[in-house]
Amino acid sequence: MQCGIARSWLQSRRDTALSASQQRELDQHVVNCGECAALSRDVRLVESWLEQAPVEDPAANFEWRLKLRLAQVERDSRDLALPARRTIWRPWLQFGGAAAIAALVVVGVGMQVLRSGPAVAPSGGMAFRSAAHGGIVQPLRDAGPGSPSFVGPPVPAAYSYFISSTDSSSSALDSARTPNTFEAR
Amino acid sequence: MQPMSVTRSGADLQELSDETLMEVLVAGNKAAFEILVKRHKARLYSYLLRLLRDPTEAEEVAQEAFVRAYVHADKYRNIAKFSTWLYTIATNLVRNRIRKLRSSPKLLSLHWGRGEDEEEDREPIDLPDPGDRPDRVLEKSEVQALVAHGIEQIPVRYREAFVLREVNHFTYEEIAEITGLKLGTVRSRINRGRGHFREAMQPLLERMRGAE
């Protein structure tokens, strides 16, 4: 038997079991060859040492930390499932909220108008008569010199206000601005 | 086939194979995963420690591998062993981490100390001083420390396959699956790893020869 084959068999013994006849042939060669005998011994020693390769333990809190991570992962996956509901929900919230606020403004301003007297028509700008019309303000035609002629649809009392560039004595509201208000100078 | 019960007790679960535990986990019993972690954490951590050589990094990657196994449990198919699947996840994570380290020269020099492919810088193991008794048999802990050091001396490209075979006892086919390498490449790298390990252990081998 040649040393090359013997060395190959010795080194691959862990992977491929030799047949009985191959093992006998190898053993006979090793007895008669000092170099292969040394290699055979080295291979056995190395194998025995590798069997003793230490298995290190991670830190004592490894499992506890892993549990925390898994719990966080589960929380995150639940949160990720929410946005589909949020994106459906939020526009309704916004619409509903805006509607509720507008309704409150209408009620509040309406109550204010009902308590106050008829609006005073100034010399310029557009004036609105309110209150006496059941809370509906009718824009006045030709409210004064320089004012634009405008006859628009009845304006709910909540949106009534007077804007005048000259008259500062108006008692009309000018703070409520909504998409339905009219402006004129 | 009956569906896996989610109400198995801990004692029952201990008896189950890894693959069956995964089925139980997917069915909703999280205790099954705790058992899998207990079974595999030490060997997985040791494998990662041998590749990364940093306990903190090794723990971090081990944790991440378990998290991914848990999150993707429903994707595990019982065509491969659970350990093969878990180690595949872990090996990919290690490679990503090493790649990240290599792209940062500063981090690389801090972490690895020297180029991983520079075989000239291999340091043979340092034998403990025998003192007055040159024929003193090494303690098991001493041998283990020397073995750990010897494994560290193997270049990382061979170390991966070497450790999977020689320490974790995966088959060649499983190692090919874990590493994504061809079978022939796996054999070659394991043989090269063995050669490097024997070389690193030469001082101990010579001492053993001298003692004879």
Side-chain angles (χ1 to χ4, degrees):
Chain A
M1 177 183 225
Q2 290 182 350
C3 285
I5 297 174
R7 277 197 288 271
S8 170
W9 285 5
L10 283 168
Q11 289 173 8
S12 62
R13 197 181 51 199
R14 281 169 75 76
D15 306 322
T16 316
L18 297 174
S19 66
S21 62
Q22 285 174 324
Q23 190 62 56
R24 273 196 302 273
E25 197 179 341
L26 179 62
D27 290 343
Q28 199 158 2
H29 176 83
V30 165
V31 164
N32 297 312
C33 177
E35 279 190 24
C36 290
L39 178 61
S40 176
R41 187 191 56 244
D42 288 353
V43 167
R44 285 184 196 277
L45 279 171
V46 166
E47 286 173 8
S48 71
W49 293 334
L50 283 170
E51 292 296 323
Q52 299 176 61
V55 176
E56 309 273 353
D57 277 317
N61 60 1
F62 180 90
E63 286 183 55
W64 173 77
R65 284 188 289 117
L66 179 60
K67 274 187 186 171
L68 288 181
R69 280 182 80 157
L70 292 176
Q72 182 63 48
V73 162
E74 289 191 333
R75 275 197 295 276
D76 290 346
S77 67
R78 280 197 296 272
D79 289 345
L80 282 171
L82 283 176
R85 295 200 293 277
R86 281 186 192 145
T87 53
I88 293 168
W89 178 63
R90 193 168 280 163
W92 285 103
L93 173 63
Q94 288 171 345
F95 180 81
I101 292 168
L104 282 171
V105 169
V106 166
V107 168
V109 173
M111 286 173 69
Q112 283 260 344
V113 167
L114 283 172
R115 277 193 233 113
S116 67
V120 174
S123 57
M126 189 177 288
F128 295 86
R129 188 183 304 135
S130 66
H133 300 272
I136 301 298
V137 175
Q138 298 286 342
L140 297 174
R141 195 189 293 273
D142 293 331
S147 68
S149 297
F150 175 80
V151 177
V155 179
Y159 303 137
S160 67
Y161 72 99
F162 166 75
I163 296 174
S164 168
S165 59
T166 59
D167 195 304
S168 59
S169 62
S170 165
S171 62
L173 297 170
D174 63 1
S175 61
R177 292 192 178 251
T178 71
N180 286 335
T181 56
F182 295 95
E183 294 186 39
R185 287 189 178 273
Chain B
M1 185 176 170
Q2 285 188 342
M4 285 292 133
S5 165
V6 298
T7 58
R8 285 174 181 257
S9 68
D12 292 339
L13 292 175
Q14 297 281 0
E15 305 298 320
L16 300 178
S17 68
D18 291 349
E19 293 69 36
T20 308
L21 284 171
M22 283 299 285
E23 291 178 22
V24 172
L25 170 66
V26 172
N29 189 336
K30 292 176 189 172
F33 195 71
E34 291 178 20
I35 293 174
L36 285 168
V37 171
K38 277 188 179 17
R39 279 185 193 172
H40 291 278
K41 68 173 181 178
R43 296 194 81 85
L44 179 65
Y45 169 73
S46 293
Y47 165 63
L48 295 170
L49 186 60
R50 290 189 171 106
L51 297 185
L52 293 165
R53 297 194 293 188
D54 182 297
T56 308
E57 294 269 342
E59 276 209 13
E60 175 59 32
V61 173
Q63 293 254 331
E64 183 62 29
F66 279 119
V67 168
R68 291 193 183 203
Y70 181 85
V71 168
H72 299 291
D74 55 339
K75 294 191 179 67
Y76 169 72
R77 295 287 176 265
N78 205 346
I79 52 175
K81 283 165 59 176
F82 167 76
S83 55
T84 308
W85 188 62
L86 179 66
Y87 277 68
T88 304
I89 295 171
T91 302
N92 287 333
L93 287 170
V94 165
R95 285 175 175 177
N96 290 342
R97 200 154 282 231
I98 291 176
R99 207 174 294 132
K100 202 184 290 184
L101 284 169
R102 283 192 169 147
S103 67
S104 168
K106 189 174 176 187
L107 280 177
L108 178 61
S109 66
L110 287 173
H111 195 86
W112 296 102
R114 57 181 181 274
E116 273 299 294
D117 294 328
E118 290 172 18
E119 301 186 7
E120 301 80 21
D121 291 344
R122 299 286 142 235
E123 291 172 9
I125 54 172
D126 246 340
L127 293 183
D129 186 357
D132 297 332
R133 295 188 49 208
D135 58 343
R136 177 176 79 83
V137 174
L138 289 177
E139 302 285 340
K140 183 175 177 180
S141 59
E142 288 173 318
V143 172
Q144 285 182 331
L146 292 170
V147 167
H149 185 71
I151 293 174
E152 277 186 21
Q153 300 309 305
I154 303 170
V156 71
R157 63 183 294 154
Y158 309 129
R159 200 185 314 153
E160 192 179 77
F162 176 86
V163 172
L164 286 170
R165 175 68 187 152
E166 301 295 349
V167 180
N168 292 83
H169 306 299
F170 283 101
T171 65
Y172 278 80
E173 289 74 19
E174 287 166 344
I175 295 170
E177 196 174 331
I178 290 168
T179 58
L181 298 170
K182 292 180 188 171
L183 211 52
T185 309
V186 168
R187 288 183 195 280
S188 159
R189 290 197 181 183
I190 289 172
N191 284 333
R192 294 292 294 270
R194 284 170 178 161
H196 283 286
F197 181 72
R198 248 195 321 272
E199 198 180 310
M201 301 299 281
Q202 271 304 315
L204 186 55
L205 286 168
E206 282 165 12
R207 181 164 159 178
M208 302 300 284
R209 282 186 215 126
E212 287 176 356

